[in-house]
Amino acid sequence: MRYFVTLNYDGTRFHGWQVQPNGISVQGELQRCLSLLLRQEVTVTGAGRTDAGVHARMMVAHFDVEQSLDCHQLAYKLNKLLPQDIAIQDIQPVADDLHARFSATARTYHYFLHTVKDPFLRHYSCELHYPLDFELMNQAARMLLSYDDFGAFCKSHADVKTTLCHITQAEWRSLGTGRWVFVITANRFLRNMVRAVVGTLVEVGRGRLSLDDFRRVVEGKRRTEAGESMPAHALFLEKIEY
């Protein structure tokens, strides 16, 4: 039987979602605890692979076991066993052909910025102290909806078969008092893509890239022409849709 697990986590101390040979991962912790509770080796497959330091308000993973499970009781026991920075929201049986990664139709990420020093934001938002033209940044962000190849924002030498993505939403929203969030939704994302997009939009907001320059970066499909990747601690995987 196949089960979907919905969870969230603070990615600060993890080396990302995916199991790493020399570092702690969210996937590794979830597999370890499930295997202990079910007394068998359990492998979980996630809907995506967040990088080191990236958080998730919603991650979905699936695992397969032969027996029928009490999902409510398993979720309770998992939450008791898992570290405090990982929390299980729900466990549900699903059809055997439903896949946490490949059945997902959309994913939404949020990236947080603040321009006024605030000690309570420093762990989950990126602090910047230069003026940014968010109206211009939104004009550039809207351009992304007209393209489908985002090689310019893919980490160099990443092991991907295609750099094609379908972006359906990309915009900066004010949260008030010098706080902003970049919201982006797509069917899939490339490794490091959101942080590279944000870094390039920040270059537009600082006046270092014009809108025409931004368009040339996207069309050029070369990572070296885009902006630097922004820090991971301000990025959240916000929502996954099926």
Side-chain angles (χ1 to χ4, degrees), residues 24-240:
I24 188 171
S25 69
V26 181
Q27 182 187 30
E29 286 296 281
L30 183 55
Q31 289 181 166
R32 178 182 65 82
C33 293
L34 273 171
S35 298
L36 282 172
L37 290 173
L38 299 179
R39 299 181 181 181
Q40 60 182 287
E41 186 174 344
V42 177
T43 300
V44 299
T45 300
R49 298 176 180 177
T50 54
D51 291 335
V54 176
H55 319 289
R57 294 193 206 275
M58 178 185 184
M59 170 61 88
V60 179
H62 76 251
F63 67 93
D64 298 321
V65 291
E66 292 185 3
Q67 70 267 40
S68 178
L69 301 175
D70 182 334
C71 294
H72 179 77
Q73 188 68 11
L74 179 59
Y76 173 79
K77 290 181 178 180
L78 268 177
N79 275 326
K80 297 288 284 185
L81 190 58
L82 283 164
Q84 290 296 311
D85 40 13
I86 303 175
I88 304 298
Q89 273 74 57
D90 188 46
I91 301 177
Q92 292 288 341
V94 297
D96 290 341
D97 61 349
L98 199 61
H99 194 284
R101 180 182 175 189
F102 299 124
S103 298
T105 58
R107 298 160 173 85
T108 298
Y109 279 89
H110 286 183
Y111 194 92
F112 293 89
L113 290 181
H114 60 287
T115 57
V116 177
K117 186 177 180 180
D118 187 329
F120 301 107
L121 296 177
R122 70 189 190 279
H123 295 305
Y124 304 105
S125 178
C126 180
E127 186 174 325
L128 299 177
H129 290 291
Y130 35 74
L132 292 170
D133 186 336
F134 283 93
E135 182 178 347
L136 197 63
M137 290 160 70
N138 262 335
Q139 290 182 48
R142 284 192 289 272
M143 291 181 183
L144 297 171
L145 277 63
S146 302
Y147 293 91
D148 57 12
D149 192 328
F150 297 98
F153 307 115
C154 182
K155 186 170 184 177
S156 299
H157 311 298
D159 182 21
V160 293
K161 295 180 180 179
T162 176
T163 52
L164 299 180
C165 307
H166 179 55
I167 296 177
T168 55
Q169 178 180 218
E171 63 176 337
W172 289 95
R173 298 176 184 172
S174 173
L175 300 176
T177 340
R179 298 175 58 200
W180 295 82
V181 59
F182 179 62
V183 181
I184 184 167
T185 301
N187 64 326
R188 66 188 290 264
F189 286 92
L190 307 171
R191 187 177 178 187
N192 208 46
M193 178 175 166
V194 179
R195 290 159 59 198
V197 167
V198 173
T200 310
L201 290 173
V202 165
E203 292 295 284
V204 173
R206 296 182 71 179
R208 292 183 170 184
L209 289 177
S210 68
L211 292 178
D212 287 339
D213 291 333
F214 183 80
R215 187 182 297 279
R216 281 192 288 270
V217 167
V218 179
E219 293 177 352
K221 305 174 188 176
R222 288 187 290 273
R223 181 66 187 92
T224 54
E225 295 183 358
E228 293 184 5
S229 292
M230 300 296 283
H233 73 276
L235 181 61
F236 288 74
L237 173 57
E238 193 74 19
K239 185 179 180 182
I240 303 169

